[in-house]
Amino acid sequence: MTETTNIDISTKPYEANQIESKILDFWFSNDFFKLAIDNLKPNYSIVIPPPNITGQLHMGHALNGTIQDMLVRYKRMLGYNVLWQPGVDHAGISTQMVVERKLKSQGLSRHDLGRSKFLEEVWQWRHQYGNQIVNQYKCIGVSFAFERLAFTMDENYVKAIYRAFVKLYKDNYIYRGHRVSNWCPSCMTSLSDLEVEHKETNGFLYSLKYFLVDDNNNKTSEYLTIATTRPETIFADLAVAVNPNDERYKALIGKSVIIPLTDKTIRIIADEYVDQNFGTGVLKVTPAHDTNDFEIGLRHNLGLISIIDESGILMESIDVPSKYQRIDRFKARQIIETDLSANDFMLGKENYKIPLGFCERCQTAIEPLLSKQWYVKMQDLAKLAIECVENNDITFHPDRYKLTYLDWLNSIKDWCVSRQLWWGHRIPIYTCSDCNYEDAHEDNVEKCPKCNSVNYEQDQDVLDTWFSSSLWPFATLGWLDEPQIFNKFYPTDVLSTAREIINLWVARMIFMSKYLTGKIPFKDVLIHPVIQTSDGKRMSKSKGNAIDPIDMINKYGCDANRFWFASIGIKGDQDVRFREDKLEEYKRFNNKIWNASKFILNSISRFTITNIDIDKLSLADKFILHEYNKLVENVRKAFENYDFDNITKEFYDFFWNIFCDWYIEIAKIEISTNAINVINVLYYVLEGCLRLIHPVMPFITEELWQVLPESIYKENKPSIMFATYPSHNSQFIFESENSRFNFIIKIIKAIRNIRQTFNVPSSLKPDIIFIINDSDSIDLIKSNLSIIESLAKVKIEFASDLSSKPSLSAIEEVNNLKIILPLAKLIDTDKSKIKLEQQKSALLKELTKNTEILNKGDFRQKAPKEKVESIENKINELNVQINNLNNHLSIFL
């Protein structure tokens, strides 16, 4: 049996935290989010980008969670079977780092425990803290199918990973390569290019002398000048390269030079990779410690010499002079620099900005290191992913991110998928130490299938976390174990994610899905903006400038936060500054909805809601019904096109500026004479508005919808989330009447404008003269006279010409109507004149400032088009305001 909310609508003002907590309990106690399938309904699915088990809810999570929840609630109300698949990622490096820090505080390392005991520690940590972020998600009202919460280390998920890996292996996509990869000396693992964060770092460019040797291998006085930022790697140099077309060095190709601080000689080779216009046009080639040099080394069969180990320390090696062995790479650089200068190998040293790579997890400087790793061949797989997007099977929103995606795939390198970690999915490749047989297996194998040896051991490395995450959409939706779920809900409809993981995750999900299932994983990819600090900086926990969304929810309420997230949209600026003032504004909007609903509920309490009688509708009734149905049409269109900002803009404008400011105020006037129709219209619009904005503001709409009395308009559903989403009703479209009533609104606005301009006290109800000769307009005005006089606080007289116009009068024109307000008895003329002149002076100053900006130098040519248009619009607006003030000032002449 459904538990209902205990609603106290008398609460004033709207107590967001109290009500949101109560509504959450109501939803969860009734299992409203549990997946329910009706075979007669269409299906809709989304998978959440799985947050790390180490994570805490941040602004990006809250924004993206809101976007997905809006879509899920919208489709649920449209009558779809909806599955929003939740889950968390095991986060290999991040989680291992957290647990290792915990051990370090106890004076232990993972190696002290051993692999098995260490993994027990990780699992213990996971059970204690791993679902924290899922619980935090509840605070933003997400309607996950919580009973289906997935984890990338779940048994069924691991089974999917090994099925995928073994298929890739059997199809010859997996190979072991001995090459230079990104290595983190702190995490002690290889990293893919996408896991490396590049930053411009202050460093030095060293110019070194590489002395030529003669035919007898004796050092000469001639030398080549070579610039490097890493003098500590000179001991691993295997050649010096020049461009074959560089006339300066053609005669030297094939000769040799001496590596500084050693007696070792290396050849001068020719390679077109060398840019002859950069520096001296000479490059030291260090194949084991630079990815580009590695490729040069392959082309020239140079071989490989490693001199830096996995900890970033210079090795005890025959190639490294003993003085520098077992010294950290950066400290060794300083010592080597000193020795290069002392031994006449240093020509110079200059400040230099180095584009250095850092581990995105621990921020340690990456070391390009030679190591054996497992790779996935990417050429054919990339083609699968490219075709999906080029054929428009998958669409990016905004469209510009399609180019980001395709650019990466068109220049993709093979994917390094092995990581030297303990926490993760151990690579299911086994090698026999007796017969060297190698194979991949989905299940654990204890004996070699070829020689039956028990020395058949599984690889020690684990898979890149992004490998397991690339299976997320189908592995969580029953690819191997729930065919009924997979067939109904796969492919999913939408993926909403951040731009920084388009290549890391989105592209990989697409080619893995096509390769393993033959299907695309989703139809639309939504790229949401990044929320920055209020001054435009990237939020960072370590920098202490990250804003906790939970704090903002506690302060302003979840619905206010969700409304702001929706108002950001996804198709405009992708770097959005945090604005707490907007949360304050939308908190007030919640209160506006609450108070308007309270008025309507109090007004309808004595009545039974019945069908709206079209024949008895007033002009104002038709106006609001027309505007409401336009709103419904526009909001539905915005949802279908992912224009979330338009949803909030349209709804805010309608509810506050049209429904509350106009119709509810008019209803207060007309309810005494036209009660039944006014009550029915008020109910119809409010109930429809609650359903319309429920996907964006689920808490306040649930609370208010529950207390609305039963009627022909309110479905008998346990929750608003199951009510039918509003649809456009053509019988309530009144184009002509809407236009006529907008004329009445313009009249009221014009009178209010006069009163505000000349500071006519609101307590006064002055006489005002309408001059109009059009009989239809006169009839329209007279039939709505009580509305105009009440809302404008005036008493209206009609005249046929200006002959009766008092000398000191303000005049406004609305279409063919002249509105005359005699001012002599209402205002202090001197004070009013001074005030208007001050306003004009301020506007003129602002006009001069903007005009100077626009006309300054080549501003129009160099400034962004939007900026120029904004200033031009501002100038036009200022000119209109100045012209109006001149007209107002003219009455004092």
Side-chain angles (χ1 to χ4, degrees):
M1 182 176 177
T2 302
E3 298 177 23
T4 57
T5 58
N6 298 314
I7 295 172
D8 179 14
I9 196 65
S10 65
T11 303
K12 186 178 180 180
Y14 176 58
E15 297 291 344
N17 293 336
Q18 176 187 335
I19 288 169
E20 288 167 5
S21 175
K22 180 174 59 177
I23 292 298
L24 274 178
D25 289 342
F26 170 58
W27 289 335
F28 280 103
S29 63
N30 288 288
D31 286 331
F32 286 153
F33 301 147
K34 193 170 183 179
L35 176 63
I37 298 175
D38 182 338
N39 289 326
L40 298 178
K41 290 182 177 182
N43 304 304
Y44 185 84
S45 60
I46 294 179
V47 292
I48 186 176
N52 293 345
I53 57 171
T54 57
Q56 289 189 319
L57 197 76
H58 57 59
M59 278 290 177
H61 293 130
L63 167 62
N64 199 19
T66 297
I67 289 171
Q68 293 169 80
D69 193 56
M70 287 192 299
L71 291 170
V72 163
R73 288 178 182 271
Y74 171 66
K75 290 294 183 176
R76 187 184 288 122
M77 295 177 78
L78 285 179
Y80 284 73
N81 294 316
V82 171
L83 171 52
W84 186 10
Q85 176 63 52
V88 289
D89 191 279
H90 68 283
I93 294 178
S94 297
T95 305
Q96 182 157 319
M97 282 175 62
V98 168
V99 177
E100 286 200 73
R101 277 199 295 266
K102 176 189 168 189
L103 291 175
K104 189 176 181 181
S105 69
Q106 301 168 5
L108 297 170
S109 73
R110 62 179 163 128
H111 300 286
D112 294 328
L113 271 65
R115 187 167 193 150
S116 179
K117 289 287 186 183
F118 176 76
L119 291 178
E120 287 179 16
E121 286 284 329
V122 180
W123 274 107
Q124 184 180 341
W125 185 93
R126 184 269 184 278
H127 292 312
Q128 189 171 356
Y129 301 108
N131 283 333
Q132 178 178 331
I133 193 166
V134 175
N135 293 325
Q136 288 176 324
Y137 261 114
K138 293 178 182 178
C139 297
I140 61 171
V142 296
S143 52
F144 293 151
F146 282 92
E147 78 282 2
R148 293 184 56 84
L149 185 69
F151 179 41
T152 51
M153 295 293 279
D154 286 342
E155 183 180 347
N156 287 339
Y157 201 97
V158 174
K159 182 180 176 183
I161 290 167
Y162 286 163
R163 175 72 55 87
F165 187 92
V166 170
K167 177 172 171 54
L168 284 164
Y169 183 89
K170 302 290 188 188
D171 289 347
N172 293 317
Y173 281 103
I174 303 284
Y175 69 94
R176 195 168 198 183
H178 188 223
R179 59 175 60 181
V180 173
S181 61
N182 303 304
W183 185 269
C184 176
S186 178
C187 297
M188 295 291 283
T189 182
S190 63
L191 302 172
S192 73
D193 290 345
L194 296 173
E195 294 170 298
V196 176
E197 186 179 329
H198 292 278
K199 302 177 190 175
E200 279 213 336
T201 309
N202 292 325
F204 298 102
L205 187 64
Y206 304 89
S207 294
L208 307 181
K209 298 178 184 178
Y210 277 60
F211 286 94
L212 289 156
V213 296
D214 60 23
D215 293 340
N216 296 316
N217 231 27
N218 296 316
K219 178 182 171 185
T220 70
S221 60
E222 295 180 86
Y223 58 84
L224 293 177
T225 302
I226 297 178
T228 180
T229 58
R230 302 198 64 199
E232 69 276 12
T233 64
I234 61 175
F235 308 121
D237 290 352
L238 287 173
V240 166
V242 296
N243 191 291
N245 301 311
D246 194 332
E247 295 293 339
R248 294 171 295 176
Y249 305 116
K250 274 188 175 182
L252 296 178
I253 296 170
K255 293 185 180 298
S256 298
V257 293
I258 297 177
I259 297 175
L261 302 179
T262 76
D263 296 325
K264 183 179 176 183
T265 60
I266 52 177
R267 285 186 305 116
I268 299 171
I269 62 173
D271 195 284
E272 291 193 349
Y273 170 78
V274 181
D275 182 355
Q276 57 186 311
N277 297 315
F278 179 77
T280 61
V282 186
L283 179 76
K284 68 190 272 308
V285 182
T286 317
H289 293 286
D290 184 276
T291 52
N292 294 315
D293 290 5
F294 178 80
E295 298 298 329
I296 295 174
L298 288 179
R299 287 195 290 273
H300 296 272
N301 297 313
L302 296 179
L304 296 162
I305 293 176
S306 294
I307 61 159
I308 298 176
D309 70 11
E310 295 173 348
S311 299
I313 292 171
L314 269 65
M315 295 176 177
E316 291 183 50
S317 162
I318 190 173
D319 297 294
V320 181
S322 59
K323 179 178 181 179
Y324 312 116
Q325 293 176 6
R326 305 308 303 157
I327 298 175
D328 175 79
R329 52 189 169 153
F330 297 120
K331 187 175 181 183
R333 180 183 301 175
Q334 296 172 351
I335 299 170
I336 291 168
E337 177 193 336
T338 300
D339 290 350
L340 286 167
S341 296
N343 290 279
D344 193 33
F345 289 109
M346 180 80 74
L347 276 170
K349 166 186 167 184
E350 59 184 276
N351 293 327
Y352 193 72
K353 291 283 187 183
I354 304 171
L356 200 60
F358 292 86
C359 173
E360 67 171 359
R361 300 294 179 190
C362 69
Q363 293 301 302
T364 299
I366 291 300
E367 182 60 46
L369 205 67
L370 188 66
S371 61
K372 286 185 178 180
Q373 303 291 342
W374 293 103
Y375 291 87
V376 177
K377 296 176 186 175
M378 285 308 308
Q379 189 173 0
D380 292 341
L381 293 173
K383 286 178 183 176
L384 294 175
I386 290 168
E387 288 169 2
C388 292
V389 172
E390 287 187 338
N391 296 340
N392 295 319
D393 297 325
I394 296 174
T395 305
F396 278 85
H397 309 267
D399 181 68
R400 61 183 176 273
Y401 287 110
K402 174 181 177 180
L403 189 60
T404 303
Y405 171 89
L406 292 174
D407 280 350
W408 182 69
L409 285 169
N410 281 314
S411 58
I412 198 168
K413 297 177 182 177
D414 287 351
W415 178 13
C416 176
V417 293
S418 50
R419 298 291 181 269
Q420 289 64 51
L421 304 171
W422 287 354
W423 172 244
H425 305 99
R426 198 165 162 187
I427 290 175
I429 293 178
Y430 292 72
T431 305
C432 179
S433 59
D434 291 332
C435 71
N436 294 322
Y437 179 77
E438 175 191 287
D439 204 354
H441 304 279
E442 291 184 38
D443 301 307
N444 187 44
V445 179
E446 294 182 355
K447 290 184 179 181
C448 174
K450 185 177 180 182
C451 72
N452 213 32
S453 168
V454 293
N455 297 318
Y456 194 53
E457 295 183 358
Q458 186 177 358
D459 198 279
Q460 294 295 311
D461 291 348
V462 300
L463 284 164
D464 175 12
T465 299
W466 294 106
F467 184 94
S468 55
S469 298
S470 69
L471 314 183
W472 183 254
F474 51 93
T476 56
L477 293 185
W479 174 44
L480 298 183
D481 57 343
E482 291 181 292
Q484 72 280 13
I485 294 293
F486 184 76
N487 293 332
K488 276 188 177 294
F489 293 104
Y490 199 78
T492 65
D493 291 272
V494 170
L495 174 77
S496 180
T497 190
R499 64 181 185 248
E500 60 262 27
I501 55 175
I502 290 174
N503 301 332
L504 271 169
W505 191 46
V506 179
R508 288 166 173 170
M509 282 190 287
I510 292 173
F511 66 66
M512 286 295 240
S513 181
K514 284 292 290 181
Y515 170 68
L516 293 166
T517 75
K519 300 179 180 182
I520 57 172
F522 28 72
K523 303 176 185 75
D524 289 297
V525 179
L526 312 186
I527 304 299
H528 64 71
V530 172
I531 299 177
Q532 301 174 328
T533 60
S534 57
D535 58 353
K537 292 184 175 64
R538 188 176 184 88
M539 289 191 191
S540 168
K541 215 172 181 183
S542 60
K543 292 179 181 175
N545 66 354
I547 295 161
D548 189 339
I550 302 297
D551 291 342
M552 295 300 105
I553 288 169
N554 290 337
K555 190 172 181 180
Y556 298 103
C558 179
D559 284 331
N561 278 266
R562 287 175 62 117
F563 200 84
W564 181 64
F565 290 139
S567 75
I568 292 171
I570 65 167
K571 296 182 179 178
D573 192 347
Q574 284 279 302
D575 289 312
V576 177
R577 296 188 179 193
F578 175 70
R579 291 187 57 184
E580 194 165 350
D581 61 311
K582 280 294 179 183
L583 296 182
E584 180 63 48
E585 178 186 344
Y586 296 143
K587 180 182 179 181
R588 290 196 300 271
F589 184 49
N590 271 270
N591 212 41
K592 187 75 172 180
I593 294 171
W594 185 257
N595 289 334
S597 301
K598 280 172 56 180
F599 165 76
I600 293 169
L601 287 164
N602 289 331
S603 299
I604 68 178
S605 59
R606 295 175 288 110
F607 299 90
T608 300
I609 304 302
T610 59
N611 261 322
I612 292 173
D613 187 342
I614 294 179
D615 296 331
K616 293 181 180 178
L617 292 174
S618 69
L619 189 64
D621 295 335
K622 291 180 177 179
F623 159 76
I624 199 63
L625 290 171
H626 178 88
E627 291 289 340
Y628 167 73
N629 275 278
K630 269 172 47 184
L631 172 71
V632 170
E633 186 176 21
N634 291 339
V635 168
R636 287 184 70 131
K637 181 180 177 183
F639 260 121
E640 295 299 330
N641 293 329
Y642 309 118
D643 292 323
F644 306 121
D645 50 331
N646 285 351
I647 295 169
T648 57
K649 181 178 178 296
E650 293 273 351
F651 186 82
Y652 186 102
D653 184 58
F654 171 82
F655 198 90
W656 195 311
N657 300 327
I658 297 175
F659 187 46
C660 291
D661 284 0
W662 291 106
Y663 187 74
I664 288 180
E665 294 305 311
I666 291 166
K668 293 173 183 177
I669 300 166
E670 294 200 328
I671 202 163
S672 59
T673 57
N674 189 23
I676 297 299
N677 258 358
V678 170
I679 292 303
N680 288 335
V681 171
L682 282 170
Y683 184 101
Y684 171 83
V685 175
L686 175 62
E687 195 276 339
C689 280
L690 294 177
R691 284 185 287 129
L692 192 70
I693 204 61
H694 171 74
V696 182
M697 307 172 81
F699 292 99
I700 192 171
T701 52
E702 181 76 83
E703 178 83 347
L704 292 170
W705 194 81
Q706 289 291 340
V707 82
L708 278 176
E710 298 300 322
S711 76
I712 57 170
Y713 298 117
K714 183 184 175 187
E715 297 171 87
N716 183 23
K717 300 286 186 180
S719 165
I720 189 174
M721 73 176 74
F722 302 117
T724 303
Y725 200 73
S727 57
H728 178 264
N729 188 338
S730 59
Q731 70 171 333
F732 290 149
I733 295 299
F734 305 104
E735 293 286 357
S736 174
E737 289 87 344
N738 186 64
S739 176
R740 285 158 62 81
F741 194 77
N742 269 300
F743 178 57
I744 301 300
I745 289 175
K746 287 179 183 177
I747 292 171
I748 297 168
K749 284 183 175 179
I751 298 170
R752 287 174 172 174
N753 183 51
I754 296 173
R755 297 187 66 133
Q756 182 180 8
T757 300
F758 293 99
N759 283 337
V760 176
S762 59
S763 58
L764 299 180
K765 191 172 184 179
D767 292 329
I768 200 164
I769 302 167
F770 278 10
I771 297 177
I772 190 166
N773 294 305
D774 173 35
S775 59
D776 287 342
S777 296
I778 292 172
D779 290 343
L780 176 60
I781 292 168
K782 286 185 175 179
S783 64
N784 290 278
L785 201 61
S786 63
I787 292 173
I788 298 172
E789 290 186 334
S790 295
L791 297 184
K793 294 184 180 180
V794 292
K795 182 68 178 172
I796 297 170
E797 298 174 7
F798 288 88
S800 57
D801 54 47
L802 288 169
S803 59
S804 58
K805 170 183 170 293
S807 57
L808 188 64
S809 298
I811 301 177
E812 285 274 351
E813 292 190 20
V814 178
N815 297 352
N816 55 354
L817 167 69
K818 284 186 173 63
I819 301 169
I820 301 171
L821 177 61
L823 296 170
K825 297 179 181 179
L826 300 174
I827 65 171
D828 182 320
T829 55
D830 291 336
K831 284 184 178 179
S832 293
K833 185 178 179 182
I834 291 169
K835 178 191 172 187
L836 291 174
E837 285 175 339
Q838 287 173 339
Q839 290 176 354
K840 179 182 175 182
S841 176
L843 290 175
L844 285 169
K845 189 175 180 181
E846 185 71 11
L847 178 64
T848 300
K849 174 185 166 186
N850 281 274
T851 304
E852 287 176 351
I853 292 172
L854 198 62
N855 296 331
K856 186 176 181 181
D858 53 0
F859 176 81
R860 288 178 185 270
Q861 289 73 38
K862 289 193 173 180
K865 182 183 176 184
E866 301 79 19
K867 180 73 173 174
V868 174
E869 288 177 353
S870 174
I871 295 176
E872 287 175 341
N873 291 336
K874 180 70 174 175
I875 288 172
N876 291 335
E877 184 184 321
L878 288 166
N879 280 322
V880 169
Q881 292 177 26
I882 291 166
N883 187 55
N884 288 337
L885 281 174
N886 285 333
N887 290 335
H888 294 319
L889 284 166
S890 68
I891 72 170
F892 297 106
L893 299 176

